[in-house]
Amino acid sequence: MSTDQNPVRRAALRIVLLLGATVTTLVACTAQAGVPTPADLGSPGIPAPAVPAPADSVSKTLAADFAAMQDDLHGTVGIALMPVDGRQVTTLGSWTTGVAWSTIKVPLALAALRQDSTGLADSAAAAITASDNEAAQAMWDALGGGEQAANAVEAVLRETGDTSTDVADRHNPAAKETVNDQMSFGATVWTLVDQVRFASRLPCLDHATPVMDLMSQITSSQSWGLGSFTGAEFKGGWGPDDDTGNYLVRQFGLLPTWAGQVAVAIAAQPDSGTFDDATAMLDKVSALLARHARELGGGRCTR
């Protein structure tokens, strides 16, 4: 079990965003699916939530409010939620998978800091807090670049039960055409469910505390969406489609609740294709989650 020694985080985890009366566990659902049913992610060696409880009221109200706001979003959205160290995920919206962009810098930073916590500390800080691409490339190169670096980052993902994500997306023609392996890791295709599962396991991973600390220090210019939550630890990623030029904007991270932390992964593709409209969509999604904060059952590491 990984023990968090950071007093700031311990304090943040005790912050009550909104007092709730019902302890809930998140379940798999969609906004179109009526009454949702639980979906066990089935990761080997992962214990069930310490306090399992029905979540019909959570998923029904959250799904209904999300469905009601979809026409105002003017684009495609995906949401995934999961308690820390839990086994069940809630999904909303039709967006399910796409390019990771800079969100992949989180497992990259963890892999790099495990190798050299001192020498790569500045690169990790710049890559996470300001999404600096050159700093991320420095960590990638320090891991050996190419296949060796991809394997190192994939090893981090495998610890969280992700058996399919191909870091650097070596089967993606766009990644293969990247010159001299520069930023090829950004082409990784990362599903929303795998991403939220990674986030839900992150506090339990060895040496994750420094990375999570950096995720709580995101620059103000990138603090849209999940950045509106006090005590959030998160990372964003964005970029244009090679063919259309339309932007995809993603975020994932951890939000403190009265019951622990809840992992969240969100993504937006606006009909307009612009970056600003995409971030505005994520602001609306985050506002929706804030309105339902009392229903979001969090968790803590049990290992």
Side-chain angles (χ1 to χ4, degrees):
M1 176 176 177
S2 175
T3 302
D4 193 340
Q5 301 297 325
N6 187 293
V8 175
R9 179 170 296 106
R10 291 201 305 269
L13 292 177
R14 293 194 295 266
I15 294 175
V16 177
L17 293 180
L18 290 172
L19 292 177
T22 305
V23 177
T24 57
T25 300
L26 299 172
V27 297
C29 68
T30 66
Q32 300 81 20
V35 178
T37 57
D40 190 340
L41 294 180
S43 302
I46 303 298
V51 188
D56 286 351
S57 61
V58 175
S59 46
K60 284 179 180 178
T61 56
L62 181 58
D65 285 355
F66 174 76
M69 72 177 286
Q70 283 196 92
D71 288 343
D72 294 330
L73 293 175
H74 303 293
T76 305
V77 168
I79 307 171
L81 306 115
M82 190 176 186
V84 163
D85 210 25
R87 292 179 67 90
Q88 296 172 330
V89 62
T90 296
T91 60
L92 296 166
S94 57
W95 196 97
T96 59
T97 189
V99 176
W101 295 113
S102 288
T103 61
I104 201 65
K105 292 173 182 174
V106 174
L108 170 58
L110 180 52
L113 291 178
R114 283 176 171 179
Q115 175 174 290
D116 186 354
S117 61
T118 302
L120 294 173
D122 289 345
S123 293
I128 299 298
T129 64
S131 207
D132 186 284
N133 288 335
E134 291 185 2
Q137 186 67 44
M139 292 190 294
W140 182 261
D141 293 341
L143 290 171
E147 193 83 7
Q148 185 175 339
N151 288 339
V153 181
E154 283 178 8
V156 172
L157 298 182
R158 300 299 179 256
E159 292 177 33
T160 68
D162 182 347
T163 61
S164 59
T165 300
D166 185 8
V167 172
D169 207 13
R170 293 179 289 272
H171 304 300
N172 184 331
K176 290 181 180 181
E177 293 170 3
T178 303
V179 179
N180 296 326
D181 195 37
Q182 294 293 302
M183 294 298 296
S184 62
F185 47 86
T188 299
V189 173
W190 203 1
T191 71
L192 207 63
V193 168
D194 281 336
Q195 188 174 69
V196 80
R197 177 164 50 189
F198 168 80
S200 76
R201 306 295 184 247
L202 182 59
C204 309
L205 299 182
D206 289 338
H207 307 296
T209 296
V211 177
M212 296 172 63
D213 284 341
L214 295 173
M215 293 169 67
S216 68
Q217 302 172 43
I218 302 299
T219 182
S220 60
S221 64
Q222 297 174 19
S223 292
W224 24 261
L226 299 180
S228 64
F229 286 85
T230 300
E233 298 162 329
F234 65 100
K235 178 73 184 80
W238 57 93
D241 181 83
D242 287 339
D243 296 324
T244 65
N246 292 340
Y247 268 81
L248 164 67
V249 179
R250 304 182 65 167
Q251 272 185 329
F252 82 97
L254 296 156
L255 305 179
T257 77
W258 62 277
Q261 285 180 303
V262 60
V264 181
I266 54 180
Q269 285 184 303
D271 294 337
S272 68
T274 69
F275 171 80
D276 287 344
D277 284 348
T279 57
M281 291 169 69
L282 294 189
D283 284 340
K284 291 179 180 179
V285 168
S286 295
L288 171 69
L289 295 177
R291 291 196 296 273
H292 290 269
R294 69 177 62 193
E295 303 163 8
L296 302 181
R300 296 179 177 86
C301 293
T302 58
R303 291 169 288 132

